[in-house]
Amino acid sequence: DVFRDWFGLVSRELGLDCRTMDCLPVDNSCLANGEVVYQAVRAIYETEGRKTVLVGYSKGAADAAAALSVYRPSIDGMVAGFLSLLGAYGGSAVASGMLR
């Protein structure tokens, strides 16, 4: 998969600690997956004291955006940035439902 290849390249070339969230079901709502994203970000921050840069691909971008929106302001200090790659904002029934 293109995203996984790119992610591995970035990790190797830049020496970044990159982690994936393969546990996010595509058919779950953005709000449900956003909660999982928030819990993961919080766990990293609380156990390692590190801020996270969220990188979302396709629906994963909408899931990450939901976490950033719903869990404000508590998530703000835990996230250093957000990058959307081919984000499905309004481009699918699931993403459109979140925007309503």
Side-chain angles (χ1 to χ4, degrees):
D1 139 273
V2 174
F3 178 70
R4 196 167 302 285
D5 292 344
W6 175 84
F7 204 67
L9 176 69
V10 168
S11 180
R12 286 188 306 277
E13 294 296 319
L14 300 179
L16 299 175
D17 178 12
C18 297
R19 304 171 194 188
T20 60
M21 295 194 66
D22 296 327
C23 61
L24 297 177
V26 176
D27 56 346
N28 271 8
S29 71
C30 292
L31 294 176
N33 284 348
E35 181 178 0
V36 176
V37 171
Y38 170 70
Q39 295 299 333
V41 167
R42 194 173 107 203
I44 290 169
Y45 188 77
E46 289 178 352
T47 60
E48 301 174 29
R50 299 166 67 177
K51 290 186 177 185
T52 302
V53 174
L54 296 174
V55 179
Y57 174 73
S58 190
K59 183 180 173 290
D63 295 338
L68 292 170
S69 175
V70 171
Y71 294 97
R72 276 194 91 178
S74 62
I75 197 171
D76 291 348
M78 299 181 236
V79 175
F82 170 52
L83 174 63
S84 172
L85 300 173
L86 301 171
Y89 300 108
S92 72
V94 174
S96 295
M98 186 190 97
L99 295 174
R100 287 190 197 127

